[in-house]
Amino acid sequence: MIEKVLSRSMRLMFTGSVVASMGVMALPAMAQEKKVESVVVTGTRITSPGATSNSPIGSITAEEIKSSQPVAVEEFFKGLPAAVPAIGPGTNNGTGGAATIDLRGLGSNRTLVLVNGRRLVPYDLGGTVDTNSIPIALLSRVDLVTGGASVVYGADAVSGVANFNLKKNFQGFEVNTSYGGTSKADAKRYRTDVTMGATLDEGRGNVVLSLGRTKSDPLTQGTRSYGLSALNSVSGAPDGSGTTIPAAMSTTKGTGGTDALSGTWQIDPATGKLVQPVNLYNFNPLNYYVTGLDRSQATSLANYKINDNFEVYGEMFYTASKVASTLAESGTFNNTFNVPIGNPFIPAATRDQLCQRRGIAAADCVVGNTTIVPLTIGRRITEMGPRFNDFDNKTLQYTLGTKGEIAGSWNYDAYWSRGTADQTQIRKNWGSLAKVKQALNSVATGKCVDTSNGCVPLNVWGAAGSITPEQVAFINQSAILMQGVEQDVAAVSTSGDLGNIQSPWAKQPISVSVSGEQRKLTAYTKSDAASQLQGEVLGTGAPTPDRTGTFKLKEYAVEAAIPLIKDLPFIRTLNAEIGYRQTNFETAKKSQDYGSYKYGGEWEPVKSLRFRGMVQLATRAPNVNELFAPQTTGLSNLATDPCQLNLINAGEANTAGTLSNLCRLTGVPSSVIGSLDKPSAGQINRQSGGNPNLGPEEAKTKTIGFVLEPLPKLLVSLDYYKIDITKAISSPTTTDVLDGCYSSKFNPGLTLNASCALVFRSTANGSFNGTDSKGVVTTLSNLGTQSTAGFDLSVKYQVPLANLGVDAKYGRLDLGFDMNKTTSYHAQPTPASVDRDCLGYYSVACGGPTYKNKFTQRTAWTFGEFVFGYNWRHVSGVIEEPGGTNFLPAYASIKAYDYFDLSAVWNFNKHIRLNISINNAANKLPPIVGSTIGSTGTNSGNTFPQYYDAVGRYFSVGATIKF
């Protein structure tokens, strides 16, 4: 009775809206002949009975996804053997407010994300999709296509495709809810989804509406013992930032000055003197191991079959998500300020030391004197509180389409979709560089030289708490940054067979698909005035000048599946597959034409064994960011500056062929040679941006393998893949540039060369920190190459326990094993760069670990209404990249890691299902490697939070109620 009422109510609720949105009327059903159903396979647009894929495809079922009760797609996706962690909740410093995915480690912008075989709008100018916008409650399965798929889906399917297939023709009412937390009762999260669907007009149509709500609490690094303090990756000692408290300071030697204050010194509030050594600031505790997520979703799907020739469908996806990250308090970040020696806040003892260093006469070394001292100041403004980064994302995409039969075996599918993604980023408690400069220019108590804007003089010479609320209020500054993407896609495809045009040895028609697609993408960024100025918002990596860009793509493709031989000895089937795609890529300044192709086939000698292979040329056009991003200065990691401290000396500063001389020639002032500080917080400035002259990159993909079914319900597949990218859109790493300049291995004469021309140090102190340093310039070009190769093994076996001699009432076992073995992984951004082999390594240049082996092994035991399971996740050991910085031995390698997840399901009755899952059941701690051994985005809290579990044992309980 309840089911009938719900079904009737939902029909009434949806019917009006469906008819209105589609603008169609129900027509009498036409007489139909019984027809063989065509099969739609991810990786081709050919639809034919019994179609199979010649490209390797892996699938993850809804049941596998549900076992760990994830709250977002990225959470389970990054654990797949073919995937590499990208941006997600484990990314704090470097998050873009989204969750992205990456196949084969070739970059998120080379992995095409589809929903029901259609593109989802990117969230940023880099062309990547925020997978937080995918409705996890409606997933039926996820298909992964290995290698290029540009012929089928377009330009950016270089490393592969992730196709998220949603449930079709859902009927009834279903509520899914889950709640979880760690064994320490933190990092709590919940997810609730309500899905309702109904059939229309005796099964000719269907409508679905799904509403979801997700909330995840952030987890700070200070809540875990291994994250309490930043650790130096070279020494293992507690480390931190040179922007500290009390303030650290330095100034250059003036005319008539002394060397007594060479290097960086720190205020001693008790004596008022500048002293050494400098105690660095521990920035770890406030940073996040897990960023917060607050998400609301609405998804609507509808279809209505008017007749065999005309079925209309529509989709609507809406997601509003808030992602929160946080960083340690803001500060002056070793910028150089022009401070009057007579500033009344300067302690008398410090004033005397500065006067000696600068050669200022005693008569002028008094309060009120206006003589300027260029003072590099590193003061952590703890009085301001932590820096918050709040991302507010809104994604809306709707699709209208029609499909049906044309004549004979031919059918068509045509659709138009529009997607918009808008993000507002709000930075709180970051501070204004201009106002700090204004507030430090004071020669009278309580009064700034420039009194505009209600200026309040700033005291950076005291202990924590010496900056008053009034001073904080004047220098504090929040910032607003916005970005938006709009994508329009119009596509039509038709497929069928050529009838009597067939091989004489196969007696089966050739199947063909012809498609056309037009896509337009416009993206922009808009920021407040402060965010467009380098360094004006204190502690920001790079400014975000306003930018906009548009490109258009017109593409035409043809595919053919050609049966060659059938039912001969040792040739049960032999089929060929070919395809070609022609693309016109257009921007405001130029238009380019290029093509992609594929050829391959399959051979089935006997029923249980099939061999398959494919060669493809995938072509990717540059995205808006790669084309139009302005040149700005951001951050990169660096543990050791080649010119820091005692690595160089003043005695060799003018001797050709020495490192000391080269450091001087590249911007280290003579007065600080031998005392140049190491990079503050292990970070340096790096300048990067777009290049409007970029062209498309090409990727040659080869796959070959077999599928074996030796026993009923036992399926084994093994595939080899190799992806070679030429004309790769890439930029050199900071390691490439610095090694190319300062390493005698790459610059034997230690002379100024092309790499040294990309080094821009601070003119004030010779460091790579501060607003007057561009840092290391890394320019985008089409000069790069990148490649990877390996094997994918998959074994699936469903075995009733009765087959093992056990009573049939004890059910069955479902066994699964998926493994990726990577045999090579190389990247060379430019011909002058190192051809870097990152396989089995981690480093600043390589980023997080690149595993040689990664597998998952799943077992589920179905016993009556119960299902018990485990998931074993394994990644191989890795070491630091050879030939780079010599890190602490304990941090220079990570052993193989194994995680075990447990799950249980109780199907109480046909309406109620209860779940419990325990992820990382053994509570395995993450590897500790210090804070400067990887890239800024991957290495955080002394580990790699996106790669290893930094949270600990995690419990989740859930329930599904359906009618």
Side-chain angles (χ1 to χ4, degrees):
M1 180 65 184
I2 293 176
E3 295 176 43
K4 291 182 179 178
V5 172
L6 284 170
S7 180
R8 189 181 305 115
S9 300
M10 284 185 284
R11 288 191 184 98
L12 292 172
M13 181 191 307
F14 288 124
T15 301
S17 62
V18 170
V19 173
S21 64
M22 294 184 173
V24 300
M25 296 179 61
L27 300 178
M30 300 180 67
Q32 299 180 22
E33 297 180 3
K34 187 174 181 180
K35 299 179 181 179
V36 178
E37 184 178 356
S38 293
V39 179
V40 179
V41 179
T42 297
T44 179
R45 295 196 188 278
I46 294 173
T47 59
S48 61
T52 56
S53 172
N54 294 319
S55 292
I57 292 181
S59 291
I60 307 99
T61 66
E63 283 300 314
E64 292 176 85
I65 295 169
K66 288 178 182 178
S67 65
S68 61
Q69 302 187 78
V71 298
V73 163
E74 182 273 343
E75 183 182 340
F76 72 83
F77 193 95
K78 70 179 181 182
L80 301 177
V84 171
I87 301 297
T91 309
N92 183 53
N93 189 0
T95 181
T100 61
I101 58 177
D102 183 0
L103 285 172
R104 307 299 183 198
L106 297 176
S108 296
N109 58 349
R110 296 187 176 105
T111 298
L112 181 59
V113 177
L114 306 174
V115 176
N116 288 339
R118 291 179 282 274
R119 288 174 176 270
L120 201 60
V121 62
Y123 88 98
D124 68 352
L125 279 66
T128 53
V129 168
D130 180 7
T131 58
N132 280 331
S133 58
I134 296 174
I136 198 168
L138 286 175
L139 286 180
S140 64
R141 74 177 193 278
V142 182
D143 293 334
L144 305 181
V145 180
T146 297
S150 284
V151 170
V152 183
Y153 297 114
D156 39 7
V158 173
S159 60
V161 174
N163 185 18
F164 295 86
N165 297 280
L166 305 185
K167 297 174 183 177
K168 295 181 179 179
N169 298 321
F170 180 88
Q171 298 181 59
F173 182 87
E174 181 176 285
V175 178
N176 291 283
T177 186
S178 65
Y179 177 83
T182 71
S183 52
K184 295 179 179 292
D186 53 18
K188 297 176 183 178
R189 65 187 191 185
Y190 70 83
R191 178 172 72 90
T192 298
D193 297 280
V194 177
T195 303
M196 56 199 85
T199 57
L200 304 173
D201 199 7
E202 299 181 346
R204 296 173 65 184
N206 180 259
V207 286
V208 178
L209 176 65
S210 182
L211 305 174
R213 185 82 172 86
T214 301
K215 182 75 164 58
S216 295
D217 292 340
L219 181 72
T220 60
Q221 295 172 7
T223 62
R224 298 295 185 264
S225 59
Y226 40 83
L228 274 173
S229 175
L231 301 175
N232 187 286
S233 297
V234 176
S235 66
D239 203 0
S241 171
T243 299
T244 185
I245 188 167
M249 300 181 181
S250 66
T251 187
T252 54
K253 180 181 177 180
T255 303
T258 70
D259 295 326
L261 210 62
S262 179
T264 302
W265 298 67
Q266 188 170 27
I267 287 284
D268 178 0
T271 64
K273 294 186 65 174
L274 291 168
V275 297
Q276 286 185 328
V278 174
N279 294 312
L280 302 178
Y281 184 76
N282 178 23
F283 51 78
N284 261 29
L286 295 175
N287 287 357
Y288 285 158
Y289 271 135
V290 178
T291 57
L293 173 65
D294 189 342
R295 181 185 64 197
S296 299
Q297 287 182 295
T299 305
S300 180
L301 311 173
N303 63 80
Y304 190 87
K305 187 173 184 178
I306 299 171
N307 53 43
D308 287 344
N309 308 111
F310 197 46
E311 178 180 345
V312 291
Y313 61 87
E315 298 174 343
M316 188 279 291
F317 305 100
Y318 176 76
T319 301
S321 66
K322 298 179 186 294
V323 175
S325 66
T326 189
L327 296 172
E329 302 93 339
S330 193
T332 56
F333 294 106
N334 293 307
N335 285 301
T336 301
F337 301 90
N338 291 324
V339 180
I341 193 64
N343 187 309
F345 282 125
I346 300 177
T350 293
R351 184 179 291 107
D352 289 341
Q353 290 173 290
L354 293 174
C355 288
Q356 292 177 34
R357 176 68 168 167
R358 296 293 300 168
I360 299 173
D364 296 324
C365 195
V366 294
V367 173
N369 188 274
T370 58
T371 301
I372 294 298
V373 175
L375 199 58
T376 300
I377 303 174
R379 170 55 151 90
R380 184 70 57 168
I381 308 175
T382 55
E383 297 87 348
M384 196 181 289
R387 287 171 285 168
F388 294 105
N389 226 354
D390 296 333
F391 298 88
D392 190 344
N393 305 284
K394 289 182 173 61
T395 301
L396 172 64
Q397 178 158 316
Y398 44 91
T399 300
L400 295 174
T402 178
K403 60 184 179 180
E405 300 176 5
I406 301 175
S409 65
W410 287 83
N411 55 66
Y412 74 95
D413 188 348
Y415 71 91
W416 170 78
S417 74
R418 166 166 289 181
T420 58
D422 297 291
Q423 182 186 87
T424 300
Q425 177 186 358
I426 299 178
R427 292 168 167 165
K428 301 175 183 176
N429 295 344
W430 289 66
S432 163
L433 177 63
K435 288 186 175 181
V436 170
K437 289 180 177 180
Q438 182 182 356
L440 288 174
N441 188 12
S442 172
V443 291
T445 301
K447 186 178 181 180
C448 302
V449 172
D450 176 3
T451 60
S452 63
N453 302 315
C455 180
V456 179
L458 179 64
N459 178 15
V460 297
W461 288 272
S466 60
I467 296 180
T468 67
E470 292 77 16
Q471 294 173 14
V472 167
F474 176 69
I475 65 170
N476 198 0
Q477 175 173 264
S478 295
I480 299 176
L481 306 90
M482 296 181 293
Q483 69 177 17
V485 181
E486 182 177 275
Q487 177 178 267
D488 286 286
V489 179
V492 60
S493 64
T494 180
S495 67
D497 65 60
L498 300 183
N500 293 326
I501 301 176
Q502 54 189 247
S503 165
W505 302 283
K507 302 300 182 182
Q508 280 188 323
I510 297 172
S511 297
V512 175
S513 171
V514 179
S515 62
E517 180 176 312
Q518 181 168 306
R519 179 159 51 101
K520 178 183 177 182
L521 188 143
T522 300
Y524 71 89
T525 62
K526 291 182 179 180
S527 307
D528 58 15
S531 298
Q532 300 193 47
L533 300 175
Q534 179 68 45
E536 168 54 21
V537 180
L538 290 170
T540 53
T544 53
D546 290 352
R547 72 192 91 163
T548 186
T550 298
F551 67 75
K552 299 177 182 178
L553 287 163
K554 293 180 180 178
E555 301 186 289
Y556 307 94
V558 60
E559 298 178 78
I562 308 170
L564 300 175
I565 302 175
K566 185 174 176 62
D567 295 331
L568 291 180
F570 297 106
I571 309 179
R572 191 168 183 268
T573 58
L574 179 65
N575 301 328
E577 182 178 335
I578 58 175
Y580 182 79
R581 190 179 192 93
Q582 181 67 28
T583 300
N584 173 257
F585 174 72
E586 181 182 344
T587 65
K589 293 186 177 180
K590 64 179 180 180
S591 176
Q592 290 179 280
D593 292 283
Y594 53 86
S596 303
Y597 63 78
K598 68 175 180 177
Y599 60 87
E602 61 176 343
W603 168 41
E604 188 177 11
V606 293
K607 184 177 181 180
S608 60
L609 178 63
R610 183 168 66 95
F611 295 94
R612 60 191 179 187
M614 185 70 72
V615 175
Q616 305 188 56
L617 177 69
T619 310
R620 183 181 77 87
N623 57 53
V624 171
N625 214 40
E626 291 167 334
L627 288 168
F628 305 116
Q631 300 296 316
T632 59
T633 297
L635 295 174
S636 178
N637 272 13
L638 184 66
T640 303
D641 185 332
C643 301
Q644 74 181 40
L645 301 172
N646 60 1
L647 295 180
I648 59 175
N649 62 81
E652 296 180 342
N654 291 288
T655 303
T658 65
L659 181 60
S660 300
N661 181 63
L662 184 58
C663 289
R664 179 184 61 82
L665 295 175
T666 53
V668 179
S670 298
S671 60
V672 299
I673 288 178
S675 61
L676 176 66
D677 284 336
K678 64 181 183 179
S680 179
Q683 294 179 322
I684 61 171
N685 290 345
R686 176 178 68 92
Q687 187 184 80
S688 61
N691 180 352
N693 297 314
L694 290 174
E697 61 182 20
E698 297 179 354
K700 191 76 169 288
T701 302
K702 301 175 184 177
T703 58
I704 187 168
F706 66 84
V707 181
L708 175 66
E709 192 173 0
L711 298 171
K713 298 187 178 181
L714 172 60
L715 191 67
V716 180
S717 67
L718 177 65
D719 291 280
Y720 171 79
Y721 65 89
K722 182 171 175 54
I723 303 173
D724 291 301
I725 304 175
T726 57
K727 303 178 185 177
I729 300 171
S730 55
S731 61
T733 66
T734 54
T735 302
D736 287 334
V737 174
L738 294 175
D739 283 352
C741 177
Y742 295 109
S743 171
S744 57
K745 178 180 178 181
F746 303 104
N747 185 9
L750 293 178
T751 57
L752 289 174
N753 61 13
S755 293
C756 295
L758 301 175
V759 173
F760 293 88
R761 295 177 175 273
S762 166
T763 55
N765 55 37
S767 74
F768 287 119
N769 303 118
T771 56
D772 63 336
S773 168
K774 291 182 184 178
V776 177
V777 176
T778 55
T779 304
L780 277 175
S781 73
N782 277 113
L783 300 175
T785 60
Q786 197 167 350
S787 66
T788 186
F791 294 87
D792 288 318
L793 172 65
S794 178
V795 181
K796 303 290 172 62
Y797 189 30
Q798 185 182 99
V799 53
L801 290 179
N803 292 359
L804 304 178
V806 180
D807 193 321
K809 70 179 182 180
Y810 291 108
R812 72 171 192 271
L813 291 177
D814 291 276
L815 307 172
F817 179 82
D818 292 283
M819 178 178 180
N820 170 254
K821 180 176 181 61
T822 305
T823 57
S824 72
Y825 185 92
H826 286 261
Q828 187 175 21
T830 67
S833 301
V834 175
D835 184 4
R836 197 170 298 281
D837 177 7
C838 289
L839 183 60
Y841 305 137
Y842 56 94
S843 67
V844 173
C846 293
T850 302
Y851 303 116
K852 292 183 178 180
N853 301 299
K854 183 178 179 181
F855 72 72
T856 60
Q857 194 279 307
R858 299 172 303 282
T859 298
W861 173 32
T862 302
F863 174 38
E865 65 267 30
F866 298 98
V867 182
F868 303 99
Y870 73 83
N871 184 35
W872 173 14
R873 298 176 282 141
H874 170 88
V875 293
S876 58
V878 286
I879 63 173
E880 63 162 305
E881 182 189 9
T885 302
N886 291 318
F887 293 108
L888 188 74
Y891 297 166
S893 65
I894 301 174
K895 63 182 180 180
Y897 257 66
D898 296 277
Y899 294 104
F900 292 91
D901 308 324
L902 305 177
S903 63
V905 175
W906 181 19
N907 293 299
F908 182 74
N909 56 37
K910 69 177 184 179
H911 300 299
I912 300 175
R913 165 184 168 136
L914 304 176
N915 292 26
I916 184 171
S917 60
I918 308 173
N919 293 340
N920 188 10
N923 198 31
K924 195 172 183 67
L925 301 181
I928 303 304
V929 295
S931 60
T932 54
I933 206 166
S935 61
T936 301
T938 60
N939 184 195
S940 181
N942 302 315
T943 188
F944 297 103
Q946 273 289 96
Y947 292 75
Y948 300 95
D949 186 348
V951 175
R953 184 185 297 115
Y954 201 92
F955 298 89
S956 296
V957 294
T960 300
I961 302 172
K962 55 185 177 181
F963 298 98

